[in-house]
């Protein structure tokens, strides 16, 4: 395995290419894959729901993508940046009102029942559209799925829907679950949400809370001779500082999603048998944002939001929190998205004096103790960087007289507090940009999202003009016109600050050199690992 040299340049250059990007170099080997073995992986959290059809997030995908498969996966060199999975082909109608999928034949669910177009129709209409955190936006106009035979599914839309959007959504938003398991009872309460049944190369075997998840080989997988591994064990290591020592002690063989702290990368890259890999995340750009609860009177005031934006030194955050392995953000689309990004947006330079002046203008003067008002600040617990930024933000707000009280929760409690109970004033969030603003980006600011939807606008923000713009873009078929609408979208978000974009970053994996076929697609960490194997 060739060593990949880590640098800030390579991390930033590869962090968010569109799914339709052209071929990129991959990390692969010419050896004949070996069968068998157990891969032990570091996991820093335990998702409360393992159904990616409901919760399309990387924390869920990291485990569940090996069990539950989408219609297509991201690819470095496949047509339109995609490789077939449960679908072998897809074609959009010129009027934008239908997309036809040809499905893979001979696929079985893990319980032995056949996979058919009925499963796709059920997943799309009963889960992706009404329940999924991202799909309820992308598939909002899906009105029917015709199933003329067991290997054909025709999606029919009530309004024109861009085929480009549907293609880009396939890897993240189209996880298919078995109709026969979910059609009875309430979908959200189905036991299979925590013990998934899929078509993937691995079966869910067991979960011992606080210790591990165990997946075992699916002997009836449709992929020829795959998977190569017998087992995958996700060792729960909630303290990310322990991932490096576990790798060195050979207790785990892989730590993805920058589980090894950035400060340890230089040292760990010199350890014999360990490699630092910066690829495999090209279709996933994380964005560090300040989520805002607009129900709070002070935060509903634009001047207060502008003051908070001016109080944040983005350059300092990139250099100190991310050690340079990130870039400052200007808005809701990352800088390294060559198709949709625009720099022509309002910006907020670091300026404490201006921030204080804006708060004074808004009528929130300092009291005798130097404080204007207090806020409850909840940093997302998923990454060291989100927690560290929470500490920084508390200090930055103190400099302008805002007393931020930190509330640190585990993952489940954080999601409930922010996205269900709305028990926050400010939250630090790490949403993901997935190659198209309609996927996981517009949902952050669009109004009307039901309560309890993770990673969505739960701050009560409502802007009719912005909502109308999002709706128009969602049914604009001409790619050039869509791009222009999303540039206007970026301007409006940056001007009204429903949230504050601070930085954008990608991830790094550390792996033992006996693990092969690593990082060979742009979503590798959240793909199915059917072709991953152990050299010995």
């Amino acid at each position: 395995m060739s060593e990949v040299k880590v640098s800030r340049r390579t991390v930033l250059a590869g962090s968010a290419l569109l799914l339709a990007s052209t071929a990129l170099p991959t990390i692969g080997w010419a050896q004949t894959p070996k069968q068998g073995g157990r891969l032990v992986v570091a996991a820093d959290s335990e998702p409360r729901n393992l159904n990616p059809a409901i919760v399309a997030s990387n924390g869920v995908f990291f485990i569940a993508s090996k069990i539950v498969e989408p219609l297509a996966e991201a690819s470095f060199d496949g047509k339109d940046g995609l490789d077939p999975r449960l679908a072998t082909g897809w074609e959009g109608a010129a009027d934008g009102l239908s997309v036809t999928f040809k499905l893979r034949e001979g696929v079985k669910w893990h319980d032995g029942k056949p996979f058919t177009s009925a499963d796709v129709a059920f997943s799309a209409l009963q889960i992706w559209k009404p329940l999924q955190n991202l799909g309820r936006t992308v598939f909002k106009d899906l009105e029917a799925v015709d199933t003329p035979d067991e290997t054909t599914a025709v999606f029919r839309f009530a309004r024109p829907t861009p085929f480009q959007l549907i293609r880009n959504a396939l890897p993240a938003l189209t996880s298919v679950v078995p109709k026969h398991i979910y059609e009875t009872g309430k979908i959200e309460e189905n036991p299979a949400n925590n013990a998934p049944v899929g078509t993937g190369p691995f079966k869910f075997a067991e979960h011992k809370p606080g210790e591990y998840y165990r997946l075992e080989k699916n002997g009836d997988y449709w992929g020829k001779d795959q998977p190569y591994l017998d087992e995958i064990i996700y060792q729960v290591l909630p303290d990310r500082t322990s991932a490096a020592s576990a790798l060195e002690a050979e207790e785990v063989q892989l730590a993805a999603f920058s589980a090894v702290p950035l400060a340890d990368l230089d040292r760990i890259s010199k350890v014999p048998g360990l490699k630092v890999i910066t690829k495999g995340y090209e279709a996933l750009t994380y964005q560090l944002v300040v989520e805002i609860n607009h129900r709070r009177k002070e935060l509903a005031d634009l001047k207060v939001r502008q003051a908070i934006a001016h109080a944040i030194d983005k350059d300092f955050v990139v250099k100190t929190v991310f050690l340079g392995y990130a870039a400052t953000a200007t808005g809701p689309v990352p800088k390294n998205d060559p198709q949709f990004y625009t720099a022509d947006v309002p910006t907020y330079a670091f300026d404490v004096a201006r921030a204080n002046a804006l708060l004074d203008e808004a009528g929130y003067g300092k009291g005798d103790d130097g404080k204007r008002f207090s806020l409850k600040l909840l940093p997302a617990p998923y990454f060291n960087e989100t927690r560290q930024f929470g500490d920084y933000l508390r200090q930055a707000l103190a400099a302008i007289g805002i007393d931020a009280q930190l509330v640190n929760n585990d993952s489940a409690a954080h999601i409930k507090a922010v996205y269900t109970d709305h028990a926050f004033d400010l939250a630090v969030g790490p949403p993901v940009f997935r190659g198209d603003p309609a996927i996981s980006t517009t949902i952050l600011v669009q109004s009307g999202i039901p309560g309890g939807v993770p990673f969505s606008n739960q701050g009560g923000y409502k802007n009719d003009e912005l909502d109308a713009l999002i709706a128009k873009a969602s049914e604009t078929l001409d790619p050039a016109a869509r791009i222009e609408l999303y540039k206007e979208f970026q301007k409006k978000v940056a001007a009204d600050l429903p949230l504050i974009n601070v930085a954008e970053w990608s991830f790094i994996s550390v792996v033992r050199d006996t693990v092969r076929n690593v990082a060979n697609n742009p979503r590798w960490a959240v793909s199915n690992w059917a072709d991953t194997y152990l050299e010995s």
Side-chain angles (χ1 to χ4, degrees):
M1 176 177 178
S2 59
E3 183 170 354
V4 178
K5 184 176 181 181
V6 179
S7 72
R8 293 164 175 80
R9 182 180 298 274
T10 57
V11 171
L12 299 180
S15 62
L17 297 182
L18 294 178
L19 295 183
S21 61
T22 55
L24 294 172
T26 64
I27 296 173
W29 300 265
Q31 293 101 323
T32 300
K34 295 185 178 181
Q35 295 280 349
R38 169 191 288 175
L39 177 64
V40 184
V41 183
D44 71 337
S45 65
E46 297 174 88
R48 63 175 181 172
N49 187 325
L50 275 179
N51 185 347
I54 296 177
V55 183
S57 74
N58 289 332
V60 175
F61 287 137
F62 188 40
I63 298 171
S65 61
K66 288 69 183 165
I67 307 165
V68 180
E69 295 185 296
L71 296 177
E73 185 53 272
S75 170
F76 284 127
D77 51 13
K79 183 182 178 183
D80 297 318
L82 295 170
D83 273 342
R85 287 292 187 267
L86 290 179
T88 57
W90 39 89
E91 183 177 356
D95 61 6
L97 293 176
S98 68
V99 178
T100 299
F101 292 95
K102 293 305 295 180
L103 305 178
R104 191 175 296 278
E105 298 181 14
V107 177
K108 294 181 181 179
W109 293 104
H110 292 159
D111 61 5
K113 295 187 182 297
F115 159 77
T116 73
S117 56
D119 298 304
V120 175
F122 179 85
S123 297
L125 292 171
Q126 303 303 319
I127 303 182
W128 306 344
K129 177 180 177 178
L131 300 178
Q132 191 189 84
N133 55 325
L134 307 181
R136 67 177 70 220
T137 299
V138 173
F139 294 108
K140 64 182 177 59
D141 293 321
L142 180 66
E143 63 177 357
V145 179
D146 297 342
T147 54
D149 57 57
E150 292 190 344
T151 59
T152 304
V154 183
F155 285 36
R156 300 201 179 278
F157 297 89
R159 297 180 181 179
T161 300
F163 182 47
Q164 176 195 47
L165 168 60
I166 299 303
R167 282 201 315 256
N168 285 346
L170 294 180
L173 275 63
T174 64
S175 296
V176 183
V177 297
K179 176 184 177 182
H180 64 276
I181 286 179
Y182 279 93
E183 64 184 339
T184 302
K186 195 171 182 179
I187 290 172
E188 302 96 311
E189 297 175 357
N190 196 299
N193 291 333
N194 291 309
V197 175
T199 59
F202 296 93
K203 297 180 179 181
F204 179 86
E206 63 177 321
H207 171 214
K208 191 165 185 179
E211 295 189 30
Y212 62 84
Y213 294 88
R214 184 171 67 86
L215 312 185
E216 61 185 15
K217 179 175 183 172
N218 173 16
D220 287 328
Y221 185 56
W222 56 261
K224 183 180 180 182
D225 299 325
Q226 294 178 341
Y228 301 129
L229 296 168
D230 287 335
E231 281 188 325
I232 301 176
I233 303 293
Y234 289 87
Q235 189 71 45
V236 177
L237 299 172
D239 179 4
R240 283 181 165 243
T241 59
S242 64
S245 58
L247 282 160
E248 292 179 89
E250 300 189 42
E251 295 169 356
V252 302
Q253 297 147 294
L254 168 67
F257 285 111
S258 297
V260 175
L262 298 178
D264 290 339
L265 288 179
D266 183 61
R267 179 187 63 79
I268 205 82
S269 68
K270 298 179 176 66
V271 174
L274 291 179
K275 303 297 180 183
V276 176
I277 298 173
T278 62
K279 293 190 176 295
Y281 301 96
E282 288 79 0
L284 309 171
T285 296
Y286 274 71
Q287 299 171 283
L288 184 72
V289 304
V290 179
E291 296 173 293
I292 298 171
N293 194 337
H294 293 257
R295 301 173 186 84
R296 177 70 184 257
K297 176 174 66 74
E298 295 90 342
L299 297 175
D301 190 322
L302 176 59
K303 288 185 177 180
V304 173
R305 302 197 297 273
Q306 290 172 333
I308 294 172
H310 279 298
I312 298 171
D313 187 344
K314 296 180 181 180
D315 288 328
F316 178 84
V317 171
V318 166
K319 293 174 183 175
T320 305
V321 174
F322 292 95
L323 302 181
Y325 292 96
T328 58
T330 58
V333 174
K335 292 177 179 177
N336 55 0
D337 179 334
Q339 186 171 15
F340 292 103
Y341 175 75
T342 179
D344 183 19
V345 299
T347 57
Y348 304 87
F350 175 55
D351 190 336
V352 173
R354 178 61 180 149
N356 276 305
L358 283 165
L359 291 170
D360 290 339
E361 292 172 19
Y364 298 106
K366 290 183 178 180
D368 294 339
D369 59 357
K371 298 177 181 178
R372 302 177 188 273
F373 52 85
S374 296
L375 296 174
K376 185 184 295 184
L377 170 60
L378 279 65
Y382 322 122
F383 308 113
N384 288 332
E385 292 74 24
T386 53
R387 290 192 292 263
Q388 291 168 8
F389 176 72
D391 291 332
Y392 163 79
L393 183 57
R394 180 181 61 81
Q395 298 173 38
L397 293 174
I400 59 173
I402 297 176
D403 179 29
Q405 303 294 323
L406 278 176
V407 179
N408 290 301
N409 293 314
D410 62 19
S411 297
H414 178 82
I415 289 174
K416 183 175 186 296
V418 175
Y419 302 107
T420 299
D421 299 339
H422 306 144
F424 75 103
D425 295 315
L426 300 176
V428 179
V432 183
F433 184 81
R434 302 181 190 274
D436 192 299
I439 305 173
S440 73
T441 301
T442 56
I443 193 174
L444 301 174
V445 297
Q446 184 177 7
S447 70
I449 307 298
V453 178
F455 316 113
S456 70
N457 172 20
Q458 293 298 329
Y461 174 76
K462 180 174 174 55
N463 181 317
D464 291 339
E465 288 187 8
L466 190 59
D467 285 345
L469 181 64
I470 292 170
K472 184 177 180 180
S474 72
E475 58 187 50
T476 296
L477 303 183
D478 179 67
R482 280 190 83 226
I483 289 170
E484 290 307 310
L485 287 170
Y486 283 125
K487 287 183 177 179
E488 184 64 25
F489 163 78
Q490 292 169 74
K491 294 178 184 178
K492 287 187 179 296
V493 171
D496 206 36
L497 294 177
L499 47 74
I500 300 171
N501 288 86
V502 179
E504 48 213 35
W505 82 102
S506 187
F507 289 102
I508 295 169
S509 300
V510 181
V511 61
R512 297 213 70 85
D513 58 9
T514 53
V515 184
R516 301 304 177 99
N517 281 351
V518 173
N520 56 7
N521 77 62
R523 282 170 29 97
W524 182 79
V526 295
S527 64
N528 68 17
W529 296 3
D531 63 350
T532 299
Y533 69 96
L534 298 175
E535 186 180 41
S536 61

